Amino acid sequence: MSTKLMNFDNLISFSFYFLTLCCFVSVVESRKLGFNSSLFQEVNGDNDGDDSIVYIWPLPSKYTYGNNTISINHDLSLEISGNGGYSIIVSEGFQRYREIIFKHHSRKKSGVLYDVNKLKIIVNSDNETLNLNVDESYSLFITAENGSSIIQGASIEANTVFGALRGLETFGQLCSFDYGTKSVQVYKAPWYIQDEPKFVFRGLLLDTSRHFLPIDVIKQVIESMSYAKLNVLHWHIIDEQSFPLEVPSHPYLWKGSYTKFERYTVEDAYDIVDFAKMRGINVMAEIDVPGHAESWGRGYPELWPSETCREPLDVTKNFTFDVVSSILADMRKIFPFELFHLGGDEVNTDCWSSTPHVKQWLQEHNMTTKDAYQYFVLRAQEIAISKNWTPVNWEETYNSFKGNLNPRTVVHNWLGPGVCPKAAADGFRCIYSNQGVWYLDHLDVPWEDVYKSEPLEGISDGSHKKLVLGGEVCMWGETADSSDVQQTIWPRAAAAAERMWSSRDMTSARNMSSTVLPRLEYFRCLLNRRGVPAAPVNSYYARRPPVGPGSCYLQ
């Protein structure tokens, strides 16, 4: 992002003046990390560890810190200003983090003076539109209110409410409960952080067709996404196995749900979108056409080419496209995000050519089945664009007929590396989800491989880099349900989250076991403390429980 925070030049000048004057700052700014520390020593307060490790995940763009410890008042209050400071997104966000930070109850001590009694949040814009390019940058300053600094206390400044939310997350991670004093403290103060994401699209796919996930579970996933500063929930609602979503214009479609108890009403979908927005997370919905759509025909059998050819959908009938159009019209009322996923992957057209009426239609239109596949995808794209959506399609559409794709298409990579460089060279925007490293249902992929992956791999041209929107880790649901979905997502999704948020220069380290691993282990335990059942970092297979007793930080 090129947008700078208002008053940033003055703020950073004050900050560095004060920190330099006090002669105790350790500056860590836009450089490679080279730590050699023991996490177990760090969390136990052993000063023999390397103090240069910063336990913020994902790592901020720029930061400085000192060597003081300051206390935070249990009755921390909020002071707001700026055009957007009075937003309910800010006030409710502050309340959520206040409950996280002060989870431990302790008796109030009379006469105790705290270093920080209020958090100032300044939001410059009152625009609460959450879109792809929303400004998520923020600055955070934490020092004692009674110190000698020109800027005193704790403050977050952001251009938007969503930048303020990211600042609140960082503030929350810096606050630690001290069991000796039974108070919340911030170590290594004073802190100055200026932060913004590397990519505008930092996603997680959640599959609710292979296994139905209750609303509360989806919300738990969204909440945990905010802790890692992910900002797009790719909701893969429907697939060949089940159609759980209510579509008012075609009320029999959700006859394709597993049972009548495993469905999402229109109101449920609105609720999820609203819940996500309050956490700065967009919801990108998907209907996968023309393949992966067998469940559609349980309510409307005429969508099937025949009883023995249940997918792809029947390309010959206008009714098929009328249904697609109606679904998109109903969903457009619910999902305001400008991107909509139309799938288009794994389309096996063999049964088209063996179904008499489809075969005849192909002959009449002088089409092969490959031509018909293209025809279906392009017609679906036109429908989506007519409803003011930008279409996203899996990479098979690009691989098969890139010359005819709508130029607004966002190509979603998944089959392997090398697609985004080609798509960007052809002028398409791209999302990276290489299945070899970023498919979370591949349980044998270790966190290191997730972390080392790079959406910009193979791209050197600056203009092409700008076309890579970011990336997405995919939680396909064939072998995950409410009992284990969070353990499968975390902590490996966090490894990708830092890759998508933080500068490569900030996080490229020769020895990840002594630099990145302690931080990821700490973040996993932070998730556990916040109620997220993240699995041990070093499990040979993801989501497996610990092999024996021990500290969370050493699993």
Side-chain angles (χ1 to χ4, degrees), residues 41 60 97 101 154 186 203 215 225 268 302 313 398 433 449 464 500 506:
Q41 290 176 327
Y97 281 99
I101 293 168
V186 173
I215 297 296
M225 289 173 64
D268 291 334
E302 56 267 46
L313 296 170
Y398 170 80
S433 290
D449 290 354
H464 295 175
M500 292 185 282
M506 290 289 288

Side-chain angles (χ1 to χ4, degrees), residues 415-485:
L415 289 171
V419 174
C420 283
K422 295 176 183 177
D426 288 328
F428 290 103
R429 291 179 292 174
C430 191
I431 297 169
Y432 174 91
S433 290
N434 179 0
Q435 65 169 335
V437 284
W438 280 14
Y439 267 32
L440 299 174
D441 58 313
H442 293 192
L443 302 181
D444 58 343
V445 177
W447 72 268
E448 295 94 335
D449 290 354
V450 178
Y451 191 83
K452 289 185 290 186
S453 300
E454 171 56 60
L456 296 178
E457 181 181 3
I459 304 177
S460 56
D461 187 290
S463 63
H464 295 175
K465 289 181 178 180
K466 293 178 181 179
L467 293 175
V468 179
L469 299 180
E472 176 182 290
V473 286
C474 299
M475 183 62 262
W476 296 106
E478 285 89 346
T479 63
D481 65 6
S482 298
S483 68
D484 59 5
V485 66

Side-chain angles (χ1 to χ4, degrees), residues 54-341:
V54 172
Y55 293 102
I56 303 173
W57 196 281
L59 203 64
S61 304
K62 299 178 182 179
Y63 54 92
T64 66
Y65 57 84
N67 61 6
N68 291 343
T69 298
I70 61 176
S71 59
I72 309 295
N73 192 335
H74 185 275
D75 292 323
L76 183 71
S77 62
L78 172 65
E79 180 181 302
I80 51 179
S81 63
N83 293 330
Y86 295 88
S87 167
I88 191 173
I89 295 175
V90 173
S91 58
E92 290 194 4
F94 172 77
Q95 187 57 36
R96 284 197 308 275
Y97 281 99
R98 195 177 183 281
E99 291 174 1
I100 289 172
I101 293 168
F102 301 104
K103 186 178 294 290
H104 293 280
H105 295 283
S106 58
R107 295 179 179 177
K108 292 183 179 180
K109 299 178 181 179
S110 59
V112 174
L113 298 178
Y114 294 94
D115 297 311
V116 174
N117 296 285
K118 63 183 176 183
L119 175 63
K120 304 173 187 176
I121 298 182
I122 306 162
V123 181
N124 296 315
S125 172
D126 61 359
N127 187 346
E128 296 182 4
T129 303
L130 181 60
N131 54 32
L132 181 63
N133 293 300
V134 70
D135 188 343
E136 298 175 89
S137 64
Y138 68 91
S139 64
L140 170 64
F141 193 83
I142 310 175
T143 188
E145 293 174 352
N146 57 353
S148 57
S149 172
I150 297 174
I151 300 176
Q152 297 185 4
S155 65
I156 295 170
E157 182 175 1
N159 285 326
T160 70
V161 292
F162 306 110
L165 290 178
R166 306 301 176 231
L168 278 167
E169 173 58 38
T170 302
F171 178 75
Q173 290 190 26
L174 287 173
C175 292
S176 300
F177 183 76
D178 185 289
Y179 286 85
T181 62
K182 296 184 179 180
S183 64
V184 171
Q185 300 182 343
V186 173
Y187 303 106
K188 298 182 180 179
W191 282 92
Y192 175 73
I193 295 171
Q194 186 203 4
D195 201 10
E196 64 181 358
K198 178 180 178 182
F199 292 108
V200 298
F201 187 108
R202 305 180 307 282
L204 167 69
L205 178 148
L206 197 62
D207 176 3
T208 60
S209 175
R210 275 51 179 260
H211 281 98
F212 178 84
L213 297 175
I215 297 296
D216 285 348
V217 174
I218 296 175
K219 288 182 176 180
Q220 289 164 15
V221 172
I222 292 170
E223 192 80 67
S224 63
M225 289 173 64
S226 70
Y227 300 155
K229 298 188 174 78
L230 294 174
N231 72 340
V232 179
L233 175 70
H234 175 178
W235 191 4
H236 189 86
I237 311 174
I238 302 154
D239 210 292
E240 62 189 74
Q241 289 84 2
S242 73
F243 195 118
L245 182 67
E246 179 185 15
V247 178
S249 61
H250 286 84
Y252 297 140
L253 280 170
W254 69 352
K255 285 187 175 182
S257 63
Y258 287 123
T259 68
K260 65 181 181 180
F261 304 110
E262 295 170 291
R263 292 173 171 175
Y264 304 108
T265 66
V266 167
E267 291 77 15
D268 291 334
Y270 273 117
D271 186 29
I272 288 171
V273 171
D274 291 343
F275 184 89
K277 181 179 180 179
M278 295 298 290
R279 288 146 185 83
I281 294 173
N282 281 298
V283 180
M284 179 177 70
E286 177 181 0
I287 62 169
D288 198 341
V289 293
H292 290 276
E294 179 181 340
S295 62
W296 297 36
R298 298 194 188 107
Y300 296 92
E302 56 267 46
L303 292 170
W304 293 333
S306 71
E307 276 293 331
T308 58
C309 178
R310 297 188 170 193
E311 62 180 25
L313 296 170
D314 196 326
V315 68
T316 73
K317 297 176 181 176
N318 285 328
F319 176 69
T320 301
F321 295 98
D322 289 341
V323 172
V324 171
S325 181
S326 295
I327 293 172
L328 294 186
D330 285 345
M331 295 179 79
R332 195 64 178 108
K333 300 171 185 175
I334 303 170
F335 299 100
F337 190 41
E338 63 258 47
L339 301 183
F340 188 89
H341 210 299

